[in-house]
């Protein structure tokens, strides 16, 4: 009974790593609280008329967040995510609604360990790309405008026709992701960003 749910998760994970391999290959920039690109022209009164096109904020180098996932196969999950860029690791505790908890430890060298303590199973996978850079959304994303989602007013971007990324205008924190597979990730209201 665990195989279809686990297989769906594994397929989603493979999509993520394929996407990361295609997109994320440069050295990270130091995170900033808010980045914007301003495009403007000067009118005859020497006032500046500007249109601001926001740029996604880089993530902090370390944080913990709670994500809620509704997969395209209609399974629900709550994920405790610990992101640790300086130590080149990412740890996810995936609490499935109707199944065992899956632990996912990812390393920057592309090695990932998946284990289920209840089923006493463990396996490793190797992907050519490691964890996401803190600034993974900054380059090559397309700004789509603002939208209210889950009660947050968000700046919205898309990247490589793979993800729609929602960042809270007020805090510059990500609050919602939609992947092309239909999987929806909703970050908890108060992710523990420094």
């Amino acid at each position: 009974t665990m195989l279809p749910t686990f297989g769906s998760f594994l397929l989603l994970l493979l999509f993520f790593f394929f996407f990361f391999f295609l997109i994320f290959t440069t050295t990270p920039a130091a995170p900033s609280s808010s980045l914007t690109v301003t495009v403007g022209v000067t009118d005859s009164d020497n006032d500046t008329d500007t249109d601001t096109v926001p740029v996604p904020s880089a993530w902090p180098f370390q944080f913990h967040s709670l994500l809620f996932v509704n997969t395209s196969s209609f399974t629900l999950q709550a994920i405790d995510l610990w992101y640790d860029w300086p130590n080149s690791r990412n740890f996810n505790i995936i609490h499935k609604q109707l199944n065992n908890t899956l632990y996912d430890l990812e390393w920057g060298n592309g090695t990932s360990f998946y284990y289920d303590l209840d089923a006493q199973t463990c396996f490793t996978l190797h992907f050519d790309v490691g964890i996401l850079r803190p600034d993974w959304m900054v380059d090559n994303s397309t700004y789509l405008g603002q939208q209210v989602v889950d009660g947050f007013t968000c700046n919205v971007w898309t990247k490589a026709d793979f993800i729609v990324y929602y960042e809270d205008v007020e805090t510059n924190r990500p609050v919602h992701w939609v992947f092309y597979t239909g999987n929806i990730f909703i970050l908890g209201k108060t992710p523990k960003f420094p």
Side-chain angles (χ1 to χ4, degrees), residues 1-12 67 69 71 73-80 92-104 114-116 118 121 123:
T1 60
M2 183 175 157
L3 190 55
T5 304
F6 182 73
S8 298
F9 168 75
L10 188 56
L11 181 60
L12 174 64
L67 295 95
V69 182
T71 69
S73 61
F74 305 107
T75 60
L76 300 176
Q77 302 169 351
I79 301 175
D80 273 297
N92 298 288
I93 301 176
I94 304 159
H95 307 279
K96 298 180 181 185
Q97 183 182 24
L98 299 174
N99 223 322
N100 294 350
T101 298
L102 181 66
Y103 299 84
D104 168 18
Y114 301 92
Y115 52 99
D116 178 332
D118 295 321
T121 59
F123 66 95

Side-chain angles (χ1 to χ4, degrees), residues 17 35 57 59 82 92 107 109 127 140 144 150-151 170 185 193:
F17 283 109
L35 299 172
S57 298
W59 290 351
W82 280 270
N92 298 288
W107 293 96
N109 67 2
F127 299 95
N140 303 318
L144 301 176
D150 297 325
E170 189 175 314
F185 284 66
F193 283 17

Side-chain angles (χ1 to χ4, degrees), residues 15-134:
F15 282 127
F16 291 152
F17 283 109
F18 174 73
F19 173 64
F20 301 151
F21 177 75
L22 291 177
I23 304 299
F24 313 115
T25 57
T26 62
T27 307
S32 63
S33 60
S34 177
L35 299 172
T36 58
V37 175
T38 303
V39 179
V41 293
T42 305
D43 66 18
S44 59
D45 296 331
N46 289 331
D47 292 331
T48 302
D49 180 25
T50 61
D51 292 319
T52 302
V53 179
V55 175
S57 298
W59 290 351
F61 284 162
Q62 294 178 318
F63 66 87
H64 169 248
S65 187
L66 180 62
L67 295 95
F68 300 94
V69 182
N70 186 358
T71 69
S72 58
S73 61
F74 305 107
T75 60
L76 300 176
Q77 302 169 351
I79 301 175
D80 273 297
L81 175 142
W82 280 270
Y83 178 82
D84 185 2
W85 179 256
N87 293 302
S88 193
R89 61 187 174 192
N90 192 49
F91 186 57
N92 298 288
I93 301 176
I94 304 159
H95 307 279
K96 298 180 181 185
Q97 183 182 24
L98 299 174
N99 223 322
N100 294 350
T101 298
L102 181 66
Y103 299 84
D104 168 18
L105 180 58
E106 304 165 358
W107 293 96
N109 67 2
T111 303
S112 292
F113 296 91
Y114 301 92
Y115 52 99
D116 178 332
L117 297 176
D118 295 321
Q120 298 182 1
T121 59
C122 179
F123 66 95
T124 61
L125 291 175
H126 183 79
F127 299 95
D128 290 335
V129 64
I131 64 173
L132 289 172
R133 298 183 339 253

